[in-house]
């Protein structure tokens, strides 16, 4: 029997199967996501870089299924790394999703380029993530 969820270290259950929204905006993005919801997807992977956060938020609302029944992952893109950039990116993601929270927030590209002090950027970005976690 396949396991449907993985229990994260904080006790949150994350569905093992996720619908990735990369390139969904090349079609009728809200309808594509609604179709995924209708066949049973409850974990969605989006990103500011994918430009699909707004469509995902609209599809979840349109589905009539309570937000709490979904697991939403989004990511901070490499050009938004650092303390202030990550905070701003996260706030913009919540606004586009029209949600109060996401279930998983990731650094999309933890080593943006060879010229940047990427280790420092990762640490600053993570600090902003921790503050967001404890402010919810």
């Amino acid at each position: 029997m396949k396991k449907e969820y993985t229990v994260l270290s904080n006790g949150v259950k994350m569905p093992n199967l996720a619908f990735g929204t990369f390139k969904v905006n090349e079609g009728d993005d809200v309808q594509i996501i609604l179709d995924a919801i209708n066949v049973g997807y409850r974990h969605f992977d989006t990103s500011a870089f994918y430009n699909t956060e707004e469509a995902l938020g609209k599809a979840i609302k349109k589905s009539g299924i309570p937000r709490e029944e979904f697991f939403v992952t989004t990511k901070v893109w490499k050009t938004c790394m650092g303390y202030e950039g990550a905070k701003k990116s996260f706030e913009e993601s919540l606004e586009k999703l029209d949600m109060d929270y996401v279930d998983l927030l990731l650094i999309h590209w933890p080593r943006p380029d060879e010229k940047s002090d990427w280790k420092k950027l990762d640490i600053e970005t993570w600090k902003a993530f921790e503050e967001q976690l404890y402010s919810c």
Side-chain angles (χ1 to χ4, degrees):
M1 175 181 239
K2 290 184 181 179
K3 207 168 87 171
E4 291 184 39
Y5 295 93
T6 294
V7 179
L8 303 177
S9 63
N10 61 358
V12 171
K13 289 168 61 174
M14 179 179 73
N16 287 333
L17 185 61
F19 185 88
T21 62
F22 182 58
K23 295 197 177 191
V24 165
N25 64 350
E26 293 179 359
D28 185 357
D29 49 5
V30 173
Q31 187 58 53
I32 291 168
I33 295 169
L34 272 170
D35 291 345
I37 291 170
N38 289 334
V39 298
Y41 282 94
R42 294 298 180 266
H43 181 180
F44 288 87
D45 177 86
T46 188
S47 162
F49 180 74
Y50 301 163
N51 197 29
T52 56
E53 291 171 323
E54 189 174 342
L56 176 58
K58 285 179 181 179
I60 287 174
K61 283 196 181 315
K62 197 171 181 179
S63 76
I65 299 169
R67 161 63 180 98
E68 298 76 27
E69 292 189 27
F70 292 93
F71 191 96
V72 175
T73 299
T74 196
K75 305 171 201 78
V76 171
W77 185 242
K78 65 183 181 177
T79 58
C80 299
M81 288 179 61
Y83 180 77
E84 291 300 328
K87 283 179 64 173
K88 183 178 181 210
S89 176
F90 181 61
E91 289 168 8
E92 289 172 355
S93 289
L94 289 178
E95 187 175 318
K96 287 177 186 172
L97 288 160
D98 194 19
M99 296 178 183
D100 296 328
Y101 69 97
V102 296
D103 301 283
L104 182 62
L105 181 62
L106 301 172
I107 299 172
H108 203 145
W109 206 278
R111 190 171 182 171
D113 60 52
E114 293 295 324
K115 296 175 186 167
S116 68
D117 186 354
W118 61 271
K119 289 180 186 179
K120 181 180 180 216
L121 286 173
D122 281 1
I123 291 168
E124 289 176 2
T125 301
W126 195 255
K127 181 179 178 189
F129 282 15
E130 287 178 336
E131 285 183 12
Q132 287 302 131
L133 171 70
Y134 294 117
S135 70
C136 295

